[in-house]
Amino acid sequence: MSEGLDEKLEPIYREVLHRNPGETEFHQSVHGVLESLGPVLVKYPEFAELKIIQRICEPERQIIFRVPWQDDKGELQINRGFRVQFNSALGPYKGGMRFHPSVYLGIIKFLGFSQVFKNALTGLPIGGGKGGSDFDPRGRSDAEIMRFCQSMMTEMYRHIGEYTDVPAGDIGVGQREIGYLFGQYKRLTNRFESGVFTGKGLDWGGSCVRTEATGYGVVFFTEAMLDARKESLDGKRVVVSGAGNVAIHAIQKAQLLGARVIACSDSRGVILDEGGLDLDLIRQIKVRERGPISAYAERRKGAQYNEDGCIWEIPCDIALPCATQNELTAKDAKTLIENGCVAVAEGANMPVTPEGIQAFREAGIAFGPGKAANAGGVATSALEMQQNASRDSWSFEYTEGRLQEIMCNIHRTCFETAEEYGAPGNYTTGANIAGFVKVARAMEAMGHI
Ligand code: NDP
């Protein structure tokens, strides 16, 4: 996968492969950034001398630990916990926790690495990190989830803090899990340290719009990309993969802005509703009942459910992958292009494969990479930290206004950086370079950290 790299970057990438064997998702995300950095080394040769890229590819600290917990039958279960503190040049480590059976070190490192640049792009003072566990929350009772979260925090609490490392949610970690994790942190430290976690409930230090932020932000970014092409969301056919936190709020905001969202999915299948998705029904099934999306077609006239179906085969103007990594391949990209899709924005982290991105680029489709398009979640987390630090609580309208402004700024930064470096319209290049240069400059200023 080393084609396309500048000759100075090629050996750095080979070293990353050598030092991190078997971590394919991490390799993919490093390659995705290095691909853009050739012209940066021409403009800033000192970054090469100072070995900034080699340092950025090596996490500052990696913590791996055992998480023992007892299930409802009294049987002992053992999972593995991770927290990778990737880079703190711009602020405390910041990034979510993922609970999913596919989690291993390579997934957490890929997420932590991208988080560093994403957080830099928000313009807010946050470094990058990520954590999680191979724990599978599916089918577990509330009591089991609580015992697992308490055991996880019993190790993790000594590594985090409002000025050190501030976790949040991700796949499998929503407000329920954050409540259990935060509660255990409070018990162990005897401190009500609001700023140690974001994504908290509104009654105990959370911020308005944090739950909605990633999905809303993806749609604001998409709107900005369309606006740059003198188009709008109004009347567009939209498909959104996933039916979790990011997907639900992307659907909501797209509908509010006049789009017709006709399909979404979960890990088991796809639903198509030409009449436009009924979001209340999706919430009822996926959030309240925690059930499969197939139930939607059973309860809604005219809707179809396709188990093992591919959502990208549904003709649309705009595609928003909001489920998981590598869910949209080159084949899917070609199908979308043939069906007339004009814009794609990544709500999930790295959902489009490198070959898929290349196909979109070659077809001239507006493509918003996750680092930029889904940065609204972490940006609003940073706004939650601001509110906690000042013991304040902002209104929904004000916070949403801040989020929208941040997303427009990120869009502008990516757009202008891409033009400056000779890649007009390439938001991936723009995002990688703008995020990298900001972190690199801070590292340069701080000496050999
Ligand atoms: P959730 O756990 O709330 O939802 C994930 C959704 O994706 C679920 O509907 C799940 O289905 C579905 N899914 C998982 N794996 C697959 C698969 N292999 N194929 C199809 N569907 C799948 O997670 P989030 O919405 O929080 O996160 C989604 C993505 O967005 C992740 O990549 C995450 O890293 C990224 N992200 C999240 C942020 C946030 O603020 N939450 C911030 C920035 C990025 P099922 O219900 O069946 O499990």
Side-chain angles (χ1 to χ4, degrees):
M1 207 210 278
S2 63
E3 74 257 32
L5 288 187
D6 180 276
E7 57 175 17
K8 284 208 184 74
L9 294 161
E10 169 77 42
I12 299 177
Y13 181 63
R14 261 190 278 117
E15 184 66 12
V16 168
L17 294 182
H18 176 71
R19 288 170 70 87
N20 305 278
E23 298 175 358
T24 49
E25 297 83 359
F26 179 52
H27 303 161
Q28 185 182 334
S29 80
V30 170
H31 192 275
V33 172
L34 296 197
E35 246 181 355
S36 308
L37 298 186
V40 176
L41 292 185
V42 176
K43 187 163 176 192
Y44 300 97
E46 64 272 26
F47 290 166
E49 278 158 42
L50 293 167
K51 301 208 169 170
I52 300 269
I53 300 178
Q54 289 91 326
R55 281 193 268 155
I56 276 187
C57 291
E58 184 69 21
E60 288 176 15
R61 191 175 298 110
Q62 307 181 55
I63 302 143
I64 304 180
F65 51 99
R66 180 171 65 207
V67 189
W69 58 282
Q70 217 165 13
D71 69 18
D72 285 346
K73 295 190 198 108
E75 197 178 320
L76 195 64
Q77 302 282 344
I78 293 113
N79 284 99
R80 186 171 289 176
F82 301 89
R83 190 74 193 163
V84 173
Q85 300 178 331
F86 227 108
N87 195 298
S88 60
L90 297 179
Y93 310 106
K94 181 88 199 85
M97 299 291 295
R98 176 176 293 191
F99 291 172
H100 193 271
S102 64
V103 164
Y104 76 107
L105 187 59
I107 295 264
I108 301 298
K109 277 164 71 178
F110 117 63
L111 291 164
F113 183 74
S114 340
Q115 195 83 46
V116 173
F117 308 105
K118 179 190 307 191
N119 294 4
L121 276 177
T122 66
L124 298 163
I126 37 178
K130 198 83 189 187
S133 172
D134 57 1
F135 171 70
D136 187 356
R138 210 147 81 174
R140 290 294 177 189
S141 69
D142 280 355
E144 289 177 317
I145 302 274
M146 182 178 73
R147 286 196 292 274
F148 173 79
C149 289
Q150 290 180 338
S151 180
M152 178 102 191
M153 187 52 82
T154 302
E155 171 59 35
M156 226 171 79
Y157 83 97
R158 66 193 89 234
H159 307 290
I160 62 174
E162 66 178 313
Y163 297 111
T164 316
D165 184 356
V166 184
D170 190 79
I171 291 181
V173 178
Q175 216 172 86
R176 172 181 61 169
E177 291 73 18
I178 290 171
Y180 295 147
L181 289 162
F182 181 75
Q184 184 73 350
Y185 181 86
K186 189 172 78 58
R187 244 172 119 192
L188 291 168
T189 58
N190 195 27
R191 283 165 62 87
F192 196 106
E193 191 183 324
S194 305
V196 72
F197 235 99
T198 60
K200 300 181 293 294
L202 288 181
D203 296 331
W204 38 281
S207 170
C208 286
V209 194
R210 176 58 191 92
T211 311
E212 295 84 356
T214 308
Y216 279 20
V218 175
V219 175
F220 289 144
F221 193 89
T222 306
E223 206 186 18
M225 289 199 300
L226 291 172
D227 191 53
R229 296 175 169 223
K230 311 259 178 292
E231 292 199 53
S232 83
L233 270 165
D234 196 33
K236 295 282 190 306
R237 271 170 76 89
V238 177
V239 302
V240 179
S241 66
N245 175 276
V246 180
I248 282 177
H249 296 102
I251 295 169
Q252 186 187 33
K253 186 48 83 180
Q255 287 180 337
L256 286 169
L257 293 175
R260 192 151 65 93
V261 189
I262 48 161
C264 73
S265 60
D266 68 5
S267 56
R268 294 173 242 207
V270 176
I271 50 164
L272 169 64
D273 185 348
E274 285 289 353
L277 292 176
D278 176 346
L279 196 54
D280 287 342
L281 183 53
I282 295 175
R283 281 185 205 273
Q284 176 62 31
I285 294 164
K286 294 303 298 184
V287 182
R288 289 180 210 109
E289 299 171 15
R290 295 182 189 271
I293 200 69
S294 54
Y296 184 94
E298 288 157 20
R299 298 184 207 173
R300 171 108 164 154
K301 233 171 126 191
Q304 296 163 32
Y305 175 66
N306 188 353
E307 196 169 296
D308 306 321
C310 175
I311 194 165
W312 313 122
E313 286 173 8
I314 298 170
C316 64
D317 302 309
I318 293 166
L320 304 178
C322 295
T324 194
Q325 63 274 0
N326 292 327
E327 54 163 314
L328 197 164
T329 64
K331 181 170 163 281
D332 302 324
K334 284 188 188 112
T335 308
L336 284 166
I337 295 162
E338 277 162 22
N339 286 336
C341 178
V342 293
V344 178
E346 293 186 319
N349 284 309
M350 211 167 73
V352 184
T353 63
E355 299 76 19
I357 296 173
Q358 196 182 336
F360 289 138
R361 197 177 303 151
E362 284 167 9
I365 282 179
F367 174 74
K371 270 182 211 88
N374 72 33
V378 75
T380 309
S381 277
L383 300 182
E384 182 172 332
M385 290 161 75
Q386 278 186 34
Q387 291 168 77
N388 293 154
S390 57
R391 299 190 187 281
D392 198 358
S393 171
W394 305 341
S395 71
F396 193 96
E397 292 70 26
Y398 175 74
T399 316
E400 189 183 5
R402 292 282 305 264
L403 167 66
Q404 189 163 14
E405 190 186 343
I406 292 169
M407 294 314 296
C408 287
N409 286 341
I410 295 175
H411 174 270
R412 191 169 50 247
T413 301
C414 297
F415 188 88
E416 290 176 357
T417 308
E419 297 228 316
E420 184 190 336
Y421 282 82
N426 189 332
Y427 292 100
T428 309
T429 300
N432 285 338
I433 294 181
F436 172 80
V437 169
K438 186 150 191 210
V439 180
R441 280 197 169 136
M443 289 175 75
E444 184 183 4
M446 290 178 196
H448 296 174
I449 57 164

